[in-house]
């Protein structure tokens, strides 16, 4: 079974440490609720999904509502939780597995209409990637993307370290 | 002021000549000023001297030091000339507001100042001062001196005003009108001056009227001289004027010179910086662009391989990186399912149940692909060969889409030699799987003549690593190490 790591990654209450504590807590919970002994593909898949969601969720909660994308993700989680069982299989967006109708008001931004010379395609794509990006103008979108990238890299770093730790310890 | 304007005042014409401080200035001013028209200077002096003597001193006393404000005197008076001043002032202001070119502006400004000066200023003490005022103005005028047409506007305006003066000055008015008309018609400085000369000579024939309406005449004279100075324009030697201008005019001149061609227009135009507009919309647009540029720069530092200068390619890079990170999270969450025991079955089941989760990731990864040609969902068949077939199909069309498809599955292509090296170097338990994969792939994929640049890169290796960014080397090791029992 998975044990919490003995080492603390980062003592200060930075984003990383907050994420770590939350994520590990979620992981332990998952391991407690859904033991690994069952190795059927579906169960494993479920577990994978849960872990992924737990990772994203803990990151979003670590950021709280300071960012537009985190707010969007949190609202997605909350609305999704109610309809989780129904939409388990459908995978549309890359970031969040299921995308129920977003609670965000999709505002038509004038700046988006004023085409910046062919960059609309990329900005639209970026909007799809970054949660809550639909209702942002380009300027905010870029800022949110920067923070989102930073959070994602933190997530990946932490998860990788956990994996390394566990596999090394075995 | 009133004293100046009372008709009964006797203005000493001699005071027009060098007299006191202002007089000395006056001398300095007049002489160089009239140098180009020295004859006219004499003429003027002569003309003025022939007029009955009046005392300018009376005019001096009540006048305050010249101010640069433009409020006309509000003192009521029973003086024609005073009314005339007011009328002129109002008219000139109107004219000024109505617009006109720079030259007109300068002329009007000067006229305005004249008007301002006339009632309440010593204008360098009486006539001398009055005569000096236009000189001050000339310094400004000289800079913004424009075509005579605009002066003609002034003069025509003046004419209109002149026409309204009651008939006490009728003779003078008529004469003046005549001369103004001539001025307008001829439009050359020299001719104007000759006209003026004639005018004044004719005026001399009416001494009585002139005495009575001397104040008006003085006003006329001042205005005429101002017009005259306008006409002379650049000919005037303004340097000396500058010396005598005094602080009042200096201020206005300074402001006039700094603002360039739009000194006293009601709508001040802010001169824009070179190459930039002052329109509020464009300013906002500029700010927006700058903000976006700095955000892009911040993103450039975060994203690796950010040496692209083009904004579009930079955005592409950013998008790819975000997708890659999200994929990494997915894969990591897949691989880290608690203890080692959990990972092994996952790895082992990868080929078998890989279809299950890989299908979904393919579905999710399919959306990763910008071109959607690789998004044909394989059947729910868990075999790896399905993936192989898919990849082979994609490779026929476009290598990029094939790579993307693989990436979406968490797979990558690697040379056979490398795969064998890894397999032999790491562990033996994986060998069967890898060998199976490679051997099964080998004949299949090598049948494709085309493909990647290096023909050796035709092995499809099952890994839990991601694309070539070197992201999850650790997880590859994990997979290899985990399978050790």
């Amino acid at each position: 079974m998975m044990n919490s790591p003995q080492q603390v990654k980062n003592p200060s209450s930075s984003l990383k440490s907050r994420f770590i504590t939350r994520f590990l807590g979620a992981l332990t919970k998952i391991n407690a609720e859904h033991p690994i002994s069952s190795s059927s593909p579906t169960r494993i898949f479920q577990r994978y999904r849960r872990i992924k969601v737990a990772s994203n969720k803990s990151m979003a909660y670590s950021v709280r509502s300071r960012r537009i994308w985190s707010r969007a993700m949190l609202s997605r989680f909350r609305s999704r939780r109610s309809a989780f069982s129904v939409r388990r299989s459908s995978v549309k967006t890359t970031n969040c597995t299921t995308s129920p109708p977003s609670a965000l008001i999709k505002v038509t931004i004038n700046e988006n209409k004023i085409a910046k010379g062919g960059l609309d395609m990329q900005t639209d794509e970026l909007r799809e990637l970054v949660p809550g990006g639909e209702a942002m103008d380009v300027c905010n979108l870029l800022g949110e993307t920067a923070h989102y990238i930073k959070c994602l890299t933190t997530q990946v770093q932490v998860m990788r370290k956990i994996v390394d730790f566990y596999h090394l310890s075995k | 002021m009133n004293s100046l304007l009372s008709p009964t005042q006797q203005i000493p014409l001699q005071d027009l000549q060098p007299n006191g401080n202002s007089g000395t200035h006056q001398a300095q001013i007049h002489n160089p000023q009239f140098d180009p028209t020295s004859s006219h200077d004499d003429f003027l002096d002569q003309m003025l001297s022939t007029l009955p003597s009046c005392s300018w001193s009376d005019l001096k006393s009540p006048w305050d030091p010249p101010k640069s404000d433009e409020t006309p005197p509000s003192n009521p008076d029973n003086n024609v000339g005073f009314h005339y001043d007011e009328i002129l002032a109002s008219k000139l202001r109107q004219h000024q507001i109505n617009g006109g070119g720079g030259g007109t502006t300068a002329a009007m400004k000067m006229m305005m100042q004249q008007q301002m000066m006339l009632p309440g200023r010593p204008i360098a003490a009486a006539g001398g001062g009055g005569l000096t005022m236009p000189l001050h103005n000339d310094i400004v005028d000289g800079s913004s001196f424009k075509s005579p047409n605009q002066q003609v506007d002034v003069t025509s305006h003046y004419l209109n005003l002149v026409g309204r003066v009651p008939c006490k000055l009728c003779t003078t008015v008529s004469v003046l009108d005549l001369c103004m008309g001539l001025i307008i018609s001829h439009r050359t400085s020299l001719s104007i001056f000759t006209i003026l000369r004639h005018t004044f000579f004719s005026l001399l024939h009416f001494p009585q009227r002139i005495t009575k309406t001397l104040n008006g005449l003085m006003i006329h004279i001042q205005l005429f001289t101002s017009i005259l100075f306008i006409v002379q324009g650049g000919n005037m030697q303004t340097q000396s004027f500058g010396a005598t201008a005094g602080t009042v005019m200096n201020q206005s001149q300074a402001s006039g010179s700094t603002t360039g061609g739009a000194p006293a227009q009601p709508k001040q135009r802010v001169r824009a910086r070179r190459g930039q507009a002052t329109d509020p919309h464009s300013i906002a647009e500029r700010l927006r662009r700058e903000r976006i540029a700095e955000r892009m720069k911040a993103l450039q530092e975060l994203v690796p391989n950010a040496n692209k200068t083009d904004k579009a390619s930079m955005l592409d890079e950013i998008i790819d990186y975000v997708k890659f990170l999200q994929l990494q999270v997915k894969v990591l969450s897949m691989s880290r399912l608690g203890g080692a025991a959990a990972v092994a079955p996952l790895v082992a089941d990868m080929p078998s149940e890989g279809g299950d989760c890989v299908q979904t990731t393919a579905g999710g990864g399919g959306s990763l692909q910008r071109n959607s040609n690789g998004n044909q969902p394989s059947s729910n068949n868990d075999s790896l060969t399905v993936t192989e077939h898919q990849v082979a199909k994609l490779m026929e069309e476009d290598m990029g889409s094939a790579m993307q498809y693989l990436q979406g599955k968490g797979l990558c292509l690697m040379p056979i030699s490398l795969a064998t090296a890894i397999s032999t170097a790491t562990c033996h338990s994986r060998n069967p799987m890898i060998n199976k994969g490679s051997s099964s792939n080998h004949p299949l994929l090598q049948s494709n003549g085309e493909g990647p640049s290096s023909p050796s890169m035709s092995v499809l290796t099952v890994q839990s690593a991601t694309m070539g960014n070197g992201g999850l080397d650790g997880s590859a090791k994990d997979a290899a190490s985990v399978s050790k029992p």
Side-chain angles (χ1 to χ4, degrees):
Chain A
M1 293 298 264
M2 185 196 284
N3 306 323
S4 357
Q6 285 100 22
Q7 61 201 38
V8 182
K9 310 290 184 211
N10 198 343
S12 68
S13 88
S14 68
L15 171 75
K16 201 169 183 181
S17 58
R18 287 199 304 270
F19 167 70
I20 288 168
T21 41
R22 272 184 220 267
F23 183 53
L24 289 176
L27 270 183
T28 47
K29 207 167 79 167
I30 287 174
N31 281 333
E33 290 173 6
H34 310 274
I36 309 171
S37 55
S38 59
S39 61
S40 68
T42 45
R43 298 303 270 175
I44 288 178
F45 176 62
Q46 271 181 11
R47 192 188 156 83
Y48 142 70
R49 289 282 298 276
R50 282 205 194 91
I51 289 179
K52 186 177 73 153
V53 166
S55 167
N56 289 333
K57 216 184 213 179
S58 26
M59 178 52 80
Y61 273 109
S62 303
V63 178
R64 294 210 186 83
S65 299
R66 276 195 301 246
R67 286 280 161 173
I68 303 177
W69 68 265
S70 69
R71 286 197 290 267
M73 206 191 270
L74 289 173
S75 71
R76 242 186 254 179
F77 284 135
R78 290 193 189 110
S79 58
R80 191 174 146 268
R81 205 178 287 161
S82 57
F84 179 41
S85 57
V86 178
R87 300 177 206 226
R88 201 164 63 86
S89 55
S90 67
V91 176
K92 286 190 192 117
T93 62
T94 61
N95 176 33
C96 214
T97 54
T98 65
S99 59
S102 171
L104 296 172
I105 300 167
K106 289 194 165 71
V107 180
T108 307
I109 308 292
N110 283 336
E111 286 188 5
N112 196 18
K113 297 293 185 192
I114 300 171
K116 264 182 23 167
L119 293 177
D120 277 353
M121 194 176 65
Q122 279 118 337
T123 50
D124 288 343
E125 195 156 3
L126 202 54
R127 273 170 217 271
E128 289 172 23
L129 286 176
V130 177
E134 298 90 357
M136 281 193 262
D137 56 341
V138 180
C139 192
N140 286 340
L141 182 67
L142 291 178
E144 292 291 317
T145 306
H147 191 262
Y148 186 56
I149 286 177
K150 196 181 81 160
C151 291
L152 278 178
T153 48
T154 311
Q155 234 174 319
V156 165
Q157 267 176 28
V158 169
M159 287 166 82
R160 196 185 295 180
K161 279 195 186 151
I162 293 178
V163 170
D164 285 348
F165 171 79
Y166 275 114
H167 292 313
L168 286 174
S169 67
K170 296 300 174 183
Chain B
M1 286 188 301
N2 285 333
S3 57
L4 162 67
L5 304 168
S6 63
T8 57
Q9 273 199 338
Q10 300 289 316
I11 303 171
L13 298 171
Q14 295 80 4
D15 286 342
L16 292 176
Q17 304 307 319
N19 183 13
N21 300 336
S22 58
T24 50
H25 293 302
Q26 187 176 335
Q28 295 168 7
I29 290 157
H30 281 291
N31 294 335
Q33 170 185 357
F34 285 112
D35 274 344
T37 60
S38 53
S39 59
H40 305 302
D41 177 34
D42 299 333
F43 148 70
L44 236 152
D45 292 341
Q46 178 184 1
M47 181 272 303
L48 290 170
S49 60
T50 54
L51 292 171
S53 63
C54 296
S55 73
W56 281 97
S57 55
D58 297 337
L59 303 176
K60 286 182 203 178
S61 45
W63 287 351
D64 304 328
K67 297 170 197 151
S68 56
D69 56 350
E70 301 170 352
T71 57
S74 58
N75 296 339
D77 72 314
N78 47 2
N79 197 330
V80 168
F82 197 80
H83 285 304
Y84 184 36
D85 287 344
E86 280 181 328
I87 293 166
L88 262 175
S90 60
K91 277 291 176 178
L92 285 169
R93 209 172 292 115
Q94 266 183 15
H95 191 104
Q96 186 172 344
I97 289 167
N98 289 342
T104 308
T105 305
M108 298 311 290
K109 181 175 159 191
M110 184 219 51
M111 298 286 278
M112 282 287 297
Q113 282 160 349
Q114 274 285 303
Q115 287 308 298
M116 297 312 114
M117 301 306 175
L118 283 175
R121 314 301 174 85
I123 307 187
L131 288 171
T132 57
M133 287 320 289
L135 310 182
H136 308 319
N137 295 329
D138 274 331
I139 298 166
V140 183
D141 297 340
S143 63
S144 53
F145 182 70
K146 292 276 164 87
S147 67
N149 292 339
Q150 286 151 344
Q151 305 156 29
V152 166
D153 295 339
V154 173
T155 54
S156 62
H157 214 81
Y158 180 81
L159 254 188
N160 297 337
L161 296 167
V162 168
R164 289 190 201 157
V165 176
C167 59
K168 264 197 176 177
L169 299 167
C170 63
T171 49
T172 52
V173 165
S174 58
V175 168
L176 291 171
D177 282 343
L178 177 64
C179 88
M180 292 305 291
L182 288 172
I183 289 171
I184 292 167
S185 61
H186 287 271
R187 301 185 185 190
T188 57
S189 58
L190 215 56
S191 57
I192 287 171
F193 216 94
T194 51
I195 289 159
L196 278 177
R197 179 195 293 196
H198 293 309
T199 307
F200 282 120
F201 273 131
S202 62
L203 276 175
L204 297 178
H205 299 306
F206 306 92
Q208 296 167 358
R209 306 266 179 111
I210 288 170
T211 52
K212 286 181 186 175
T213 64
L214 189 58
N215 53 344
L217 181 63
M218 282 318 301
I219 294 160
H220 287 303
I221 289 171
Q222 287 160 4
L223 290 172
F224 269 121
T225 49
S226 61
I227 293 165
L228 189 149
F229 299 155
I230 294 170
V231 169
Q232 294 300 320
N235 289 342
M236 294 304 187
Q237 297 182 11
T238 57
Q239 290 81 5
S240 54
F241 304 158
T244 59
T247 57
V248 177
M249 294 311 299
N250 277 344
Q251 292 169 5
S252 53
Q253 286 160 23
S255 62
S257 57
T258 49
T259 53
Q265 281 176 353
K267 293 180 191 173
Q268 287 275 350
R269 287 272 177 92
V270 177
R271 196 162 282 254
R273 281 189 292 162
R274 188 181 179 81
Q276 288 178 333
T278 56
D279 188 25
H281 293 298
S282 51
I283 286 177
E285 183 68 27
R286 202 193 326 153
L287 279 173
R288 176 175 162 270
R289 265 184 269 133
E290 284 169 2
R291 246 184 290 153
I292 287 178
E294 70 185 57
R295 300 279 168 92
M296 290 284 292
K297 231 176 276 182
L299 273 173
Q300 250 184 346
E301 291 162 19
L302 281 177
V303 176
N305 298 332
N307 49 1
K308 313 282 190 297
T309 51
D310 182 22
K311 205 187 282 187
S313 55
M314 194 60 226
L315 272 177
D316 286 340
E317 200 67 38
I318 291 167
I319 288 170
D320 283 340
Y321 190 58
V322 170
K323 287 184 193 167
F324 165 66
L325 286 176
Q326 289 172 345
L327 185 64
Q328 263 190 324
V329 168
K330 276 187 204 166
V331 170
L332 275 173
S333 63
M334 219 191 302
S335 67
R336 183 184 351 104
L337 298 184
V343 181
L346 175 68
V347 171
D349 287 338
M350 251 320 203
S352 57
E353 65 91 12
D356 191 4
C357 60
V358 168
Q359 288 306 313
T360 49
T361 52
S367 64
L368 289 180
Q369 300 173 12
R370 234 170 267 128
N371 43 359
S372 54
N373 54 0
N375 199 12
Q376 301 139 17
S378 338
S379 61
N380 225 352
N381 185 347
D382 296 339
S383 159
L384 188 60
T385 53
V386 177
T387 313
E388 292 172 16
H389 286 299
Q390 191 70 25
V391 171
K393 209 186 307 177
L394 285 175
M395 272 202 217
E396 290 172 274
E397 309 165 13
D398 171 31
M399 201 55 211
S401 63
M403 294 300 292
Q404 285 176 354
Y405 179 73
L406 281 175
Q407 289 165 11
K409 292 186 171 300
L411 308 172
C412 82
L413 283 181
M414 69 158 36
I416 295 176
S417 53
L418 183 58
T420 50
I422 289 177
S423 62
T424 53
T426 51
C427 63
H428 301 283
S429 58
R430 268 182 74 78
N431 275 345
M433 190 162 52
I434 293 176
N435 286 341
K436 165 185 139 194
S438 60
S439 58
S440 62
N441 293 340
H442 198 92
L444 172 66
L445 294 174
Q446 267 190 344
S447 61
N448 294 341
E450 71 282 6
S453 54
S454 101
S456 61
M457 274 189 65
S458 55
V459 173
L460 189 63
T461 304
V462 176
Q463 281 186 359
S464 57
T466 54
M467 59 199 83
N469 276 349
L472 292 183
D473 301 329
S475 49
K477 286 186 299 212
D478 294 340
S481 59
V482 157
S483 55
K484 284 181 195 160

